[in-house]
Amino acid sequence: MHQPQTTPRRSIYYQYKVHPPYLPATPGEVQRADVVVVGAGPVGLATALEMARFGVRCLVLESELQVSEGSRAIVFTRRSMEILQQAGVADRIVAAGLHWRFGNSFFRGERVFRLEAPHDEDDRFQPLTNLQQQYLEEFLVDAVAAQPAIELRWGNRVTAIEPHDEGVRLTVDTPAGPYTLEAGWAVAADGARSPIRSLLGLKLEGDSYEGRFVIADIRIRLELPTERLAFFDPPWNPGNTVLMHREPGDIWRIDFQLPAGETPEQALQPESLKARIDAQLKMIGVADPQWEMDWCSVYSARAMTLPSYVHGRLCFTGDAAHMLPIFGVRGANTGWQDGQNLAWKLAFVQRGWAPPSLLDSYSHERVTAAREIIEEAGRSTRFMTPPTAGYRLLRDATLSLALRQDFARPLLHWRTSRAHDYLDSPLNSADDDNPLFAGGPVTGAPLRNVRLEDGSFLFDHLQAAFHLLVFVEGDTLPAGVPEQLQQLRLSGVPWRVLAVRSRGQGDVPSADLTLPDHNGRIRQRCAAPAAGAAYLVRPDQHVCARWLQLTPQRLQEAAEKALSVDRNRTQPT
Ligand SMILES: Cc1cc2nc3c(=O)[nH]c(=O)nc-3n(C[C@H](O)[C@H](O)[C@H](O)COP(=O)(O)OP(=O)(O)OC[C@H]3O[C@@H](n4cnc5c(N)ncnc54)[C@H](O)[C@@H]3O)c2cc1C
């Protein structure tokens, strides 16, 4: 019988709430569900919230009775905030978090590089926001509680899983004994150690890195701005690397690399932790360090992915699908992009709006993204923790050069998590006008946010639907387009038309929303040269077609492509 921890986890800044477990009325009973999400981590919760926006009923099973232990993921990117805005939690994160855009890298005590993340008035969110993962999960749990389409069952652990042609059979253990769930679809969001992955014997491809880091959260008041600090080869930890991040509530994350050969047990000895943290604090000018430990752990980077995220009616997402180095804030930030990509596709398939083959594009797009990240993250991880003497020599030479030479400084900039452009997506229209645009988001890339004339932002007006962004001068959409949209809506697929109006006043008939653009800002961001141009935007905000002149025929073809509909086959439900 599953016995989750019933005492609150220990923390000096976060009060853990222990939720009551869900207990089956009759142990051994068989229950049914449309979609089951296994794991109420940041990715499982956000995926369930996104599916619920399309009217899909989800059951979320969580083995524990409380949110995650320790701060874990603490840095969230602007793209994540845009995704979390859809999940309804962005405002709470903005209010609770610390926002930043600068980073400093030091080599042997001297600053070698200052990172400045771009930010302008069209961005609703700051480039980076620091907040401990427990708060973020709490906000998502609250949002789930307010969403009637989702049931979250605490203390329910999946112990066996059997995908079959019509669905997935799960055995769920609880403090009152097990029960069986027959689900139409299942999402494995059960984290890096994914028991579901192991139960099915699925293997990850990729590498593990040898360098080990201690991750420690301490409480100390430091009069320093919220900026990322990276120290290469600091005098107290020669040859190794140290990172510092500020978290809300006077909590500081200090990550320091361990000398080769030191075990995690040795590194986590209280006297060893104290000596090293004191040394780091003294190095940055704290004469008499007084601090309190909240949580610490040992971490070593992995860069691995499943080669496919869809296995019949079971889909993997987040850390269950891949393990990526946390350097460059790639943990939860990558997982939300997976979840956002999966959620609308699974919802469309489950609602009968698209064939199951739509899910192949989820695996294609996100495995490609994971492989790109593995390539990039490999470079930054090798920079942080050089695996051989040769890599160390090269790294130190670059750092030394950067002390004196401007040209070498950008070499020190490792890429942080970013949105991926699905350039070779099977959902992209092959014969749109993408190459003819002189700028703007390319087909496959996420749309860009824009500050509108009334002070709101374009993304504030995007809903759970496909959006057709049409540029008009007066008050008419291109001929035949409203009728074509009526046709497309017959299948149940949610479509919305946003008319971007550059002249005149009032609403454009047949558009769901008219966005005045007298100052030309939206047109400029989209590089839309003239009236009649249009963007087709998927529910995850990625562009799947753009045209200089929209016609009903082109819209019809793009819609079929974006929904993976093969005209020559009858559409399965
Ligand atoms: C020590 C540590 C430090 C980290 N630091 C950073 C960082 O600084 N920056 C960063 O970006 N990322 C960091 N990460 C990674 C980040 O925490 C993860 O990327 C993120 O939590 C992934 O979310 P997820 O929802 O995919 O998985 P998880 O958060 O792992 O959630 C999985 C959930 O599934 C549940 N579960 C597991 N098995 C079962 C089962 N059989 N039945 C039911 N439920 C189950 C678990 O209890 C858990 O709640 C860190 C991770 C760790 C472990």
Side-chain angles (χ1 to χ4, degrees):
M1 213 138 39
H2 177 45
Q3 295 298 341
Q5 182 183 331
T6 50
T7 49
R9 305 186 200 278
R10 190 200 147 273
S11 171
I12 57 175
Y13 65 87
Y14 184 78
Q15 225 176 351
Y16 281 94
K17 177 176 174 190
V18 177
H19 297 269
Y22 165 84
L23 306 175
T26 319
E29 69 191 10
V30 179
Q31 300 185 17
R32 285 178 200 285
D34 292 341
V35 179
V36 168
V37 175
V38 184
V43 179
L45 291 170
T47 307
L49 282 164
E50 186 62 14
M51 282 193 283
R53 297 203 315 145
F54 297 94
V56 173
R57 301 189 68 77
C58 286
L59 194 55
V60 181
L61 305 175
E62 170 53 49
S63 159
E64 301 297 322
L65 298 174
Q66 46 197 323
V67 298
S68 101
E69 178 160 24
S71 64
R72 294 178 62 179
I74 50 164
V75 184
F76 306 118
T77 62
R78 178 187 292 134
R79 183 64 195 142
S80 291
M81 295 300 291
E82 289 168 353
I83 294 170
L84 293 168
Q85 182 183 13
Q86 290 186 305
V89 296
D91 289 345
R92 287 185 79 185
I93 300 170
V94 168
L98 298 172
H99 310 283
W100 61 279
R101 51 187 293 242
F102 299 106
N104 299 292
S105 299
F106 300 87
F107 179 51
R108 296 177 184 154
E110 274 190 74
R111 191 168 85 183
V112 284
F113 182 64
R114 182 157 167 86
L115 161 84
E116 182 173 346
H119 181 66
D120 66 37
E121 60 178 314
D122 288 316
D123 292 317
R124 190 185 201 280
F125 301 105
Q126 291 286 321
L128 297 146
T129 300
N130 286 7
L131 182 66
Q132 296 93 339
Q133 186 166 323
Q134 302 100 318
Y135 290 106
L136 194 119
E137 289 186 20
E138 177 191 319
F139 299 163
L140 288 167
V141 167
D142 289 348
V144 160
Q147 170 51 267
I150 307 176
E151 182 187 347
L152 169 52
R153 294 182 175 176
W154 296 98
N156 278 224
R157 182 171 161 213
V158 173
T159 54
I161 186 157
E162 201 185 315
H164 52 88
D165 287 351
E166 276 86 48
V168 180
R169 183 175 304 117
L170 303 113
T171 306
V172 187
D173 200 8
T174 77
Y179 65 100
T180 300
L181 256 179
E182 287 288 356
W185 292 88
V187 174
D190 52 341
R193 293 200 181 125
S194 177
I196 295 187
R197 219 173 48 216
S198 311
L199 286 167
L200 295 178
L202 300 175
K203 297 269 174 289
L204 296 157
E205 59 177 41
D207 294 318
S208 299
Y209 293 89
E210 282 188 4
R212 284 208 177 101
F213 272 77
V214 164
I215 294 181
D217 275 353
I218 61 167
R219 180 152 61 197
I220 183 169
R221 183 173 284 272
L222 295 177
E223 298 307 325
L224 291 173
T226 306
E227 296 184 352
R228 193 218 54 218
L229 303 172
F231 303 87
F232 296 98
D233 204 6
W236 72 268
N237 193 8
N240 294 318
T241 304
V242 183
L243 296 174
M244 283 184 76
H245 273 290
R246 181 184 203 129
E247 302 170 32
D250 286 327
I251 303 294
W252 282 83
R253 164 74 65 86
I254 303 183
D255 297 351
F256 54 86
Q257 194 186 349
L258 297 179
E262 187 166 324
T263 66
E265 294 70 33
Q266 288 165 335
L268 293 178
Q269 290 297 320
E271 56 281 11
S272 161
L273 287 168
K274 178 161 172 36
R276 284 166 166 164
I277 292 171
D278 281 354
Q280 172 63 18
L281 292 170
K282 283 183 182 160
M283 190 189 79
I284 61 166
V286 183
D288 176 23
Q290 301 291 327
W291 51 269
E292 203 181 345
M293 175 71 78
D294 178 68
W295 168 79
C296 59
S297 179
V298 172
Y299 169 82
S300 60
R302 295 205 176 129
M304 307 177 105
T305 179
L306 282 173
S308 169
Y309 295 169
V310 180
H311 297 258
R313 288 180 164 237
L314 169 68
C315 306
F316 286 81
T317 193
D319 279 10
H322 44 65
M323 288 193 266
L324 302 170
I326 60 174
F327 311 123
V329 299
R330 293 182 174 96
N333 291 305
T334 306
W336 285 316
Q337 291 181 39
D338 297 330
Q340 189 207 29
N341 188 309
L342 170 63
W344 74 268
K345 293 173 181 172
L346 184 47
F348 274 45
V349 173
Q350 201 274 335
R351 299 289 314 257
W353 299 336
S357 56
L358 178 62
L359 285 165
D360 297 344
S361 68
Y362 163 63
S363 195
H364 175 87
E365 291 171 358
R366 294 310 302 168
V367 172
T368 306
R371 288 183 175 143
E372 273 176 38
I373 294 169
I374 286 170
E375 183 65 28
E376 283 170 13
R379 278 198 292 274
S380 46
T381 305
R382 284 191 290 273
F383 200 84
M384 299 281 299
T385 63
T388 61
Y391 270 113
R392 181 173 301 284
L393 200 67
L394 201 66
R395 197 273 307 261
D396 289 354
T398 312
L399 285 161
S400 300
L401 207 59
L403 282 173
R404 310 280 162 253
Q405 304 288 334
D406 283 347
F407 80 89
R409 286 181 192 144
L411 298 174
L412 306 182
H413 174 39
W414 63 81
R415 292 185 85 157
T416 48
S417 168
R418 62 185 170 84
H420 288 261
D421 299 344
Y422 306 136
L423 297 180
D424 68 345
S425 168
L427 307 189
N428 292 347
S429 280
D431 52 0
D432 68 351
D433 294 332
N434 185 45
L436 305 178
F437 277 74
V442 298
T443 301
L447 196 63
R448 287 191 201 146
N449 215 350
V450 189
R451 188 186 285 271
L452 305 182
E453 289 179 3
D454 66 0
S456 66
F457 290 85
L458 178 59
F459 284 10
D460 300 347
H461 302 283
L462 300 183
Q463 297 180 6
F466 269 90
H467 287 86
L468 186 66
L469 203 65
V470 193
F471 295 85
V472 295
E473 281 188 352
D475 62 1
T476 45
L477 296 178
V481 166
E483 294 76 13
Q484 185 62 54
L485 282 158
Q486 284 308 333
Q487 278 298 316
L488 289 169
R489 284 185 173 122
L490 292 179
S491 64
V493 171
W495 283 91
R496 291 183 78 237
V497 179
L498 305 187
V500 180
R501 182 172 188 170
S502 57
R503 285 208 205 132
Q505 305 293 333
D507 290 340
V508 173
S510 306
D512 296 282
L513 184 69
T514 302
L515 302 172
D517 190 38
H518 299 107
N519 61 13
R521 199 156 186 87
I522 313 179
R523 249 176 315 152
Q524 198 191 348
R525 288 281 274 192
C526 293
Y535 275 70
L536 181 58
V537 184
R538 310 183 332 186
D540 58 4
Q541 303 172 342
H542 282 254
V543 175
C544 54
R546 56 180 188 162
W547 305 275
L548 297 179
Q549 277 303 322
L550 175 63
T551 65
Q553 176 68 20
R554 299 181 100 185
L555 177 58
Q556 169 68 25
E557 285 167 10
E560 285 174 3
K561 194 90 174 25
L563 292 168
S564 210
V565 171
D566 181 349
R567 236 195 255 193
N568 301 319
R569 272 192 293 164
T570 45
Q571 187 177 326
T573 53

